[in-house]
Each structure stands twice: as structure tokens, then as C-alpha cells.
Amino acid sequence: DRLDAAAVDTVRRSQDGLFRLAIDRSFTLQGLGTTVTGTVLSGAIAVDDRVVVSPAGLEARVRSINAQNKPVERGEAGQRCAVVLSGSRISKDAVRRGDVLLDPALHAPTARIDASLRVLASEPRPIGQWFPVKVHHAAAEIPGRVVVLRDKPINAGESEYVQLVLERPLAAAVGDRFVIRDTSSSRTVGGGVLIDLRAPERKRRTPERRAEIEASATSDPAGALASTLAGPSGWTDIDAFFRDRAIAGAAAARIESELGLVAIPAARMRIAMLPDTWQRLRSRIGASLDDFHAARPDQTGIGIEQLRRGDKPMLPAAIFLAALRMLAAAGEVVLDRTWVRRPGH
């Protein structure tokens, strides 16, 4: 009766998002090839789709799909699927339990993740720094350690932000749930939610970093993005933000439009800022150039690096140069080799 009641209350998993399937088995079917089985975590998959087995990065093509024990042309989020794959490096020994079959755009495994952790009330001892555990995510089980992002240990029944440092990379998404068990797998220690897949190794316990984690912890992607961009840095790699949340193109475009983001093309990425942040950067750069020209009218312009170092908050060099190029395209500045000047100076 309880199972029937739970089934009635279950909400159908959204079909939005890019495809991910948590692999729990791989085997060979005579005459067909390597088959993987698992649960579709997000999105959908169709016959002939190109996919990647992560974290290994093995490329494959979908030959056929069985969903709920029936041949289908398409598998969707929430379904149990068996997927027959073909590829030069694909074999039952190359694919293992805990791997994730996913859209190629999502392949970016990580071994350092910031997360929220709730320790069970039954845990016999506090969770201190570098506490050894086994991390369970979907079908994966990976040894790792817990770094507590505060000065004191986490006691039984408490919740706190932590960094999971894994022995090998994991294919995951922001918002995924995880469980940690002791190294002997004899007891469950706690569990939580993954917040940031690109967690820093240094300065991870500063107040500024905690503010960034709290901003990213918002479950609504648009809210999390707005909070992140309102933080001290003022920018983010927008394509990585959407990739790490398995957000598809149309949904990503809606969020960008809703927030009115300014997207700046940079080396192999797009940097996003809120409109007010971009306007403040434009104004600061323009005022710095005007002041420099007034003080030193005989000089061609100011050096790019000198201008960057004088701007606060100081942007990384590649991002600052990308912003200058955007201003140059709009006719607001002129880039002359390593110098910047106002047009007409």
C-alpha cells in the first residue's frame, strides 16, 4: 500500500535538460554489440544520437534503445533504458558501473566539488578535516575525503558546506544528490547536494568563497546565476554554468534573456555580466582613459596591463582584454598593440 501511494504522488521527471544516463551495467549482446543499462537522469536520447561515456570520454553512437523492456526510438528522463552502443573504443570492459552516458556537451568530469552535507544524527563521531569516506552518486562509488569549509568539525545532525575531494573524476551535475559512507561501507554517514563542480583548491574557506557557495546553492538556476553575478567577481563563464547544470540551449537562452545578460566572447568561453556590472566597467575604463589623456596628452595611450591593474575589482587578463575588444567594436576605445586610447586622441 505504501509503494502504491508513493507511486501516485511521484512527479514525472522533467524532459528538459541535456541527456544523462547513469550506467549500472555493461555487457555484450551477440550480434548487437556493447550494451549499457541504467536510469535516464535528464533529457532524452534517440537512435543514432552521438554520446560520450564519461568520465573516460569514450565517443559512441546509439544503435538501439530498449525502455521499460520494449524497443523504442527514444528514451526519456525517469525511464530504465538499455542502450546498444557502437564506437571504436567501446567494449563491455571499457565501460563500467558508475560511468555516465551523456550528451557530448556535458563531458567535463571533476574530482573536486563543493556541496552541502547533512550528517546523520546517528553518526558516532564529528566529521573533521580530510575525513575519509566513500562517495555514492547515482551508480558510482568513489573513495574520497571531506574538507569541512569552517574551522570546527560537523557534529551529528548538523548541516554544513564541504568540499568533496575524490580519488578519481566523477561525471555529475549541480543539484545532484549524493550519499557518503565510511570507508568500510558498513554505515551511512550523511548525504547532501552538489553545489559547485569547479571548486577551488585554494582560498576555499574564506568569507568571499562562502558567499559564492551560498549564491550557487539556490535551486532555481536563474536565481543562482543572478546571485552569482551580483557577487564580488561580477562575472562567470556562462556556458560552463549551463553545462554543469545540464541546461539545454532553449532554457539557457530564456535565462540569459530574463536577466538581460551582457555576454563577452573570450578565449574558448563566453563571459556573462549583469547589465549594471557591465555599465560600471565601461564607465571605469572610460574615466581612467580620459584622466590619463588629460594628465599625459603627449603619450599614445595607457598600457593594457597598467589599465587592468588600476581597475577594481581587477579582472583576469584574458577577460579584461575581451572586454576591451568589445568596447573597441562599439567604437568607445581603440586598441593599438599593447596600448589603449580613446578614439581621436
Side-chain angles (χ1 to χ4, degrees):
D1 290 342
R2 291 183 180 180
L3 288 175
D4 290 339
V8 171
D9 292 338
T10 299
V11 178
R12 181 179 175 84
R13 190 182 286 260
S14 172
Q15 303 305 305
D16 293 339
L18 296 174
F19 170 73
R20 294 190 300 144
L21 178 145
I23 297 171
D24 50 40
R25 271 197 314 158
S26 65
F27 51 90
T28 300
L29 287 177
Q30 192 68 31
L32 290 178
T34 300
T35 302
V36 299
T37 65
T39 301
V40 182
L41 302 176
S42 64
I45 187 175
V47 174
D48 287 332
D49 278 357
R50 294 288 175 177
V51 290
V52 167
V53 177
S54 191
L58 307 178
E59 298 180 354
R61 181 181 67 85
V62 176
R63 295 183 61 182
S64 64
I65 306 169
N66 270 45
Q68 312 301 119
N69 296 319
K70 295 180 181 178
V72 295
E73 289 294 311
R74 176 184 170 92
E76 299 178 339
Q79 292 181 327
R80 287 278 311 167
C81 289
V83 182
V84 179
L85 302 174
S86 64
S88 59
R89 299 168 59 197
I90 296 296
S91 68
K92 73 177 184 65
D93 295 324
V95 182
R96 62 183 181 180
R97 178 182 174 86
D99 288 345
V100 178
L101 190 68
L102 42 70
D103 185 297
L106 296 182
H107 175 55
T110 177
R112 190 179 296 275
I113 305 171
D114 282 346
S116 63
L117 171 67
R118 183 176 67 84
V119 178
L120 294 182
S122 58
E123 177 58 26
R125 59 192 176 111
I127 307 303
Q129 298 296 359
W130 294 99
F131 186 84
V133 294
K134 286 186 178 177
V135 178
H136 294 259
H137 166 269
E141 176 186 319
I142 301 178
R145 291 183 177 269
V146 174
V147 178
V148 181
L149 300 182
R150 71 181 190 191
D151 292 334
K152 60 181 182 178
I154 311 173
N155 294 317
E158 283 191 316
S159 296
E160 184 52 80
Y161 295 128
V162 299
Q163 187 169 108
L164 303 175
V165 181
L166 308 176
E167 288 190 5
R168 61 177 185 269
L170 174 70
V174 171
D176 285 355
R177 295 187 176 274
F178 69 94
V179 168
I180 58 172
R181 307 195 78 202
D182 71 322
T183 54
S184 65
S185 296
S186 60
R187 75 178 191 278
T188 298
V189 175
V193 179
L194 305 182
I195 295 175
D196 187 348
L197 306 186
R198 314 297 151 191
E201 183 177 0
R202 299 176 63 250
K203 298 182 179 180
R204 55 191 166 195
R205 297 168 63 192
T206 63
E208 293 78 12
R209 178 56 189 162
R210 190 175 187 88
E212 291 176 350
I213 295 172
E214 289 175 344
S216 299
T218 305
S219 58
D220 170 49
L225 181 55
S227 297
T228 298
L229 293 177
S233 71
W235 63 272
T236 194
D237 179 344
I238 189 65
D239 293 327
F241 178 91
F242 291 132
R243 177 202 63 210
D244 286 350
R245 286 160 177 77
I247 296 176
R254 284 196 301 271
I255 293 173
E256 287 194 52
S257 176
E258 177 185 328
L259 298 179
L261 300 185
V262 176
I264 305 171
R268 298 183 180 179
M269 58 179 158
R270 286 189 311 135
I271 299 303
M273 296 181 181
L274 292 171
D276 289 348
T277 305
W278 171 246
Q279 292 303 330
R280 288 194 296 270
L281 177 61
R282 286 179 60 195
S283 297
R284 291 198 308 270
I285 290 174
S288 295
L289 285 175
D290 292 339
D291 291 345
F292 185 85
H293 290 327
R296 301 179 182 180
D298 57 322
Q299 294 200 14
T300 302
I302 187 172
I304 293 175
E305 186 61 12
Q306 182 182 349
L307 180 62
R308 181 180 79 92
R309 290 188 175 278
D311 187 55
K312 303 299 180 200
M314 188 170 67
L315 290 172
I319 295 172
F320 188 75
L321 180 58
L324 288 179
R325 285 173 175 158
M326 193 162 172
L327 293 175
E332 297 184 32
V333 304
V334 173
L335 292 175
D336 185 1
R337 292 172 294 181
T338 60
W339 306 95
V340 190
R341 60 180 171 84
R342 283 291 206 183
H345 175 73

